[in-house]
mmCIF file of all heavy atoms in Angstrom:
data_model
loop_
_atom_site.group_PDB
_atom_site.id
_atom_site.type_symbol
_atom_site.label_atom_id
_atom_site.label_comp_id
_atom_site.label_asym_id
_atom_site.label_seq_id
_atom_site.Cartn_x
_atom_site.Cartn_y
_atom_site.Cartn_z
ATOM 1 N N PHE A 345 101.180 91.299 100.943
ATOM 2 C CA PHE A 345 101.394 92.623 100.365
ATOM 3 C C PHE A 345 100.206 93.526 100.668
ATOM 4 O O PHE A 345 99.130 93.056 101.064
ATOM 5 C CB PHE A 345 101.616 92.530 98.846
ATOM 6 C CG PHE A 345 100.523 91.812 98.099
ATOM 7 C CD1 PHE A 345 99.483 92.528 97.503
ATOM 8 C CD2 PHE A 345 100.511 90.435 97.999
ATOM 9 C CE1 PHE A 345 98.457 91.875 96.836
ATOM 10 C CE2 PHE A 345 99.504 89.764 97.310
ATOM 11 C CZ PHE A 345 98.470 90.484 96.741
ATOM 12 N N LEU A 346 100.440 94.810 100.532
ATOM 13 C CA LEU A 346 99.405 95.818 100.764
ATOM 14 C C LEU A 346 98.714 96.122 99.459
ATOM 15 O O LEU A 346 99.344 96.206 98.402
ATOM 16 C CB LEU A 346 100.048 97.101 101.313
ATOM 17 C CG LEU A 346 99.089 98.207 101.768
ATOM 18 C CD1 LEU A 346 98.585 97.940 103.164
ATOM 19 C CD2 LEU A 346 99.788 99.577 101.733
ATOM 20 N N VAL A 347 97.406 96.300 99.510
ATOM 21 C CA VAL A 347 96.601 96.772 98.362
ATOM 22 C C VAL A 347 95.826 98.004 98.802
ATOM 23 O O VAL A 347 95.223 97.968 99.887
ATOM 24 C CB VAL A 347 95.619 95.692 97.863
ATOM 25 C CG1 VAL A 347 94.887 96.200 96.613
ATOM 26 C CG2 VAL A 347 96.344 94.394 97.541
ATOM 27 N N MET A 348 95.849 99.047 98.005
ATOM 28 C CA MET A 348 95.110 100.252 98.417
ATOM 29 C C MET A 348 94.652 101.042 97.199
ATOM 30 O O MET A 348 95.243 100.947 96.122
ATOM 31 C CB MET A 348 95.970 101.138 99.286
ATOM 32 C CG MET A 348 97.187 101.734 98.638
ATOM 33 S SD MET A 348 98.109 102.805 99.750
ATOM 34 C CE MET A 348 96.904 104.088 100.091
ATOM 35 N N ASN A 349 93.571 101.761 97.379
ATOM 36 C CA ASN A 349 93.119 102.694 96.355
ATOM 37 C C ASN A 349 94.047 103.882 96.312
ATOM 38 O O ASN A 349 94.641 104.284 97.334
ATOM 39 C CB ASN A 349 91.679 103.158 96.640
ATOM 40 C CG ASN A 349 90.686 102.016 96.602
ATOM 41 O OD1 ASN A 349 90.926 100.980 95.961
ATOM 42 N ND2 ASN A 349 89.556 102.189 97.271
ATOM 43 N N GLY A 350 94.167 104.479 95.130
ATOM 44 C CA GLY A 350 95.102 105.607 94.958
ATOM 45 C C GLY A 350 94.533 106.928 95.314
ATOM 46 O O GLY A 350 95.167 107.980 95.049
ATOM 47 N N ASP A 351 93.359 106.956 95.935
ATOM 48 C CA ASP A 351 92.726 108.247 96.274
ATOM 49 C C ASP A 351 92.350 108.325 97.748
ATOM 50 O O ASP A 351 91.398 109.012 98.121
ATOM 51 C CB ASP A 351 91.463 108.453 95.404
ATOM 52 C CG ASP A 351 90.443 107.317 95.576
ATOM 53 O OD1 ASP A 351 90.760 106.332 96.255
ATOM 54 O OD2 ASP A 351 89.347 107.443 95.034
ATOM 55 N N VAL A 352 93.097 107.618 98.596
ATOM 56 C CA VAL A 352 92.808 107.578 100.032
ATOM 57 C C VAL A 352 93.718 108.548 100.769
ATOM 58 O O VAL A 352 94.940 108.533 100.563
ATOM 59 C CB VAL A 352 93.001 106.154 100.581
ATOM 60 C CG1 VAL A 352 92.854 106.138 102.086
ATOM 61 C CG2 VAL A 352 92.026 105.192 99.933
ATOM 62 N N LEU A 353 93.125 109.378 101.584
ATOM 63 C CA LEU A 353 93.903 110.331 102.395
ATOM 64 C C LEU A 353 93.726 109.916 103.873
ATOM 65 O O LEU A 353 92.615 110.003 104.425
ATOM 66 C CB LEU A 353 93.398 111.749 102.183
ATOM 67 C CG LEU A 353 94.301 112.889 102.624
ATOM 68 C CD1 LEU A 353 95.635 112.850 101.868
ATOM 69 C CD2 LEU A 353 93.614 114.229 102.405
ATOM 70 N N THR A 354 94.783 109.455 104.498
ATOM 71 C CA THR A 354 94.716 108.925 105.856
ATOM 72 C C THR A 354 96.080 108.968 106.526
ATOM 73 O O THR A 354 97.122 109.079 105.853
ATOM 74 C CB THR A 354 94.213 107.471 105.834
ATOM 75 O OG1 THR A 354 94.128 106.949 107.171
ATOM 76 C CG2 THR A 354 95.111 106.559 104.988
ATOM 77 N N ASP A 355 96.092 108.873 107.860
ATOM 78 C CA ASP A 355 97.357 108.748 108.598
ATOM 79 C C ASP A 355 97.515 107.300 109.107
ATOM 80 O O ASP A 355 98.247 107.072 110.048
ATOM 81 C CB ASP A 355 97.431 109.737 109.731
ATOM 82 C CG ASP A 355 96.355 109.559 110.793
ATOM 83 O OD1 ASP A 355 95.227 109.141 110.424
ATOM 84 O OD2 ASP A 355 96.614 109.821 111.963
ATOM 85 N N LEU A 356 96.876 106.367 108.439
ATOM 86 C CA LEU A 356 97.005 104.944 108.791
ATOM 87 C C LEU A 356 98.471 104.498 108.677
ATOM 88 O O LEU A 356 99.176 104.851 107.725
ATOM 89 C CB LEU A 356 96.156 104.116 107.838
ATOM 90 C CG LEU A 356 96.265 102.613 107.881
ATOM 91 C CD1 LEU A 356 95.663 102.077 109.169
ATOM 92 C CD2 LEU A 356 95.571 101.971 106.680
ATOM 93 N N ASP A 357 98.903 103.672 109.612
ATOM 94 C CA ASP A 357 100.246 103.084 109.563
ATOM 95 C C ASP A 357 100.171 101.844 108.662
ATOM 96 O O ASP A 357 99.770 100.760 109.100
ATOM 97 C CB ASP A 357 100.711 102.694 110.981
ATOM 98 C CG ASP A 357 102.140 102.160 111.017
ATOM 99 O OD1 ASP A 357 102.625 101.669 109.974
ATOM 100 O OD2 ASP A 357 102.752 102.210 112.103
ATOM 101 N N TYR A 358 100.555 101.996 107.414
ATOM 102 C CA TYR A 358 100.415 100.921 106.446
ATOM 103 C C TYR A 358 101.276 99.705 106.816
ATOM 104 O O TYR A 358 100.876 98.560 106.580
ATOM 105 C CB TYR A 358 100.817 101.410 105.047
ATOM 106 C CG TYR A 358 99.989 102.550 104.528
ATOM 107 C CD1 TYR A 358 100.575 103.794 104.294
ATOM 108 C CD2 TYR A 358 98.643 102.376 104.236
ATOM 109 C CE1 TYR A 358 99.811 104.856 103.811
ATOM 110 C CE2 TYR A 358 97.879 103.417 103.743
ATOM 111 C CZ TYR A 358 98.478 104.657 103.524
ATOM 112 O OH TYR A 358 97.728 105.684 103.054
ATOM 113 N N SER A 359 102.454 99.932 107.378
ATOM 114 C CA SER A 359 103.329 98.832 107.731
ATOM 115 C C SER A 359 102.738 97.997 108.863
ATOM 116 O O SER A 359 102.829 96.765 108.846
ATOM 117 C CB SER A 359 104.716 99.322 108.124
ATOM 118 O OG SER A 359 104.654 100.171 109.277
ATOM 119 N N ASP A 360 102.075 98.625 109.828
ATOM 120 C CA ASP A 360 101.472 97.868 110.923
ATOM 121 C C ASP A 360 100.301 97.035 110.396
ATOM 122 O O ASP A 360 100.116 95.903 110.848
ATOM 123 C CB ASP A 360 101.010 98.816 112.017
ATOM 124 C CG ASP A 360 100.541 98.050 113.263
ATOM 125 O OD1 ASP A 360 101.383 97.400 113.900
ATOM 126 O OD2 ASP A 360 99.334 98.089 113.574
ATOM 127 N N LEU A 361 99.518 97.604 109.482
ATOM 128 C CA LEU A 361 98.429 96.839 108.876
ATOM 129 C C LEU A 361 98.975 95.592 108.175
ATOM 130 O O LEU A 361 98.457 94.485 108.367
ATOM 131 C CB LEU A 361 97.694 97.703 107.854
ATOM 132 C CG LEU A 361 96.722 96.956 106.913
ATOM 133 C CD1 LEU A 361 95.606 96.266 107.681
ATOM 134 C CD2 LEU A 361 96.129 97.918 105.897
ATOM 135 N N LEU A 362 100.022 95.727 107.396
ATOM 136 C CA LEU A 362 100.576 94.579 106.656
ATOM 137 C C LEU A 362 101.183 93.567 107.625
ATOM 138 O O LEU A 362 100.989 92.357 107.459
ATOM 139 C CB LEU A 362 101.623 95.051 105.652
ATOM 140 C CG LEU A 362 102.198 93.980 104.735
ATOM 141 C CD1 LEU A 362 101.094 93.210 104.012
ATOM 142 C CD2 LEU A 362 103.176 94.581 103.751
ATOM 143 N N HIS A 363 101.895 94.045 108.657
ATOM 144 C CA HIS A 363 102.462 93.138 109.633
ATOM 145 C C HIS A 363 101.357 92.369 110.369
ATOM 146 O O HIS A 363 101.451 91.154 110.575
ATOM 147 C CB HIS A 363 103.316 93.898 110.629
ATOM 148 C CG HIS A 363 103.865 93.055 111.750
ATOM 149 N ND1 HIS A 363 104.866 92.132 111.560
ATOM 150 C CD2 HIS A 363 103.500 92.987 113.070
ATOM 151 C CE1 HIS A 363 105.142 91.543 112.709
ATOM 152 N NE2 HIS A 363 104.320 92.037 113.613
ATOM 153 N N THR A 364 100.306 93.068 110.752
ATOM 154 C CA THR A 364 99.180 92.435 111.431
ATOM 155 C C THR A 364 98.537 91.362 110.565
ATOM 156 O O THR A 364 98.194 90.301 111.017
ATOM 157 C CB THR A 364 98.144 93.497 111.851
ATOM 158 O OG1 THR A 364 98.741 94.445 112.748
ATOM 159 C CG2 THR A 364 96.951 92.849 112.550
ATOM 160 N N HIS A 365 98.402 91.692 109.291
ATOM 161 C CA HIS A 365 97.837 90.705 108.360
ATOM 162 C C HIS A 365 98.703 89.463 108.259
ATOM 163 O O HIS A 365 98.181 88.336 108.332
ATOM 164 C CB HIS A 365 97.678 91.326 106.960
ATOM 165 C CG HIS A 365 97.350 90.324 105.914
ATOM 166 N ND1 HIS A 365 96.129 89.705 105.823
ATOM 167 C CD2 HIS A 365 98.124 89.768 104.909
ATOM 168 C CE1 HIS A 365 96.130 88.842 104.823
ATOM 169 N NE2 HIS A 365 97.325 88.867 104.273
ATOM 170 N N ALA A 366 99.980 89.655 108.090
ATOM 171 C CA ALA A 366 100.880 88.496 107.945
ATOM 172 C C ALA A 366 100.854 87.594 109.177
ATOM 173 O O ALA A 366 100.931 86.372 109.072
ATOM 174 C CB ALA A 366 102.312 88.975 107.681
ATOM 175 N N MET A 367 100.740 88.209 110.366
ATOM 176 C CA MET A 367 100.728 87.442 111.607
ATOM 177 C C MET A 367 99.388 86.758 111.857
ATOM 178 O O MET A 367 99.324 85.751 112.554
ATOM 179 C CB MET A 367 101.076 88.349 112.787
ATOM 180 C CG MET A 367 102.464 88.948 112.723
ATOM 181 S SD MET A 367 103.782 87.690 112.712
ATOM 182 C CE MET A 367 103.589 87.039 114.368
#
Side-chain angles (χ1 to χ4, degrees):
F345 55 96
L346 186 83
V347 183
M348 65 179 297
N349 297 337
D351 58 353
V352 174
L353 197 62
T354 180
D355 63 327
L356 172 71
D357 184 337
Y358 300 115
S359 62
D360 188 66
L361 167 61
L362 185 54
H363 175 73
T364 300
H365 169 71
M367 297 300 292

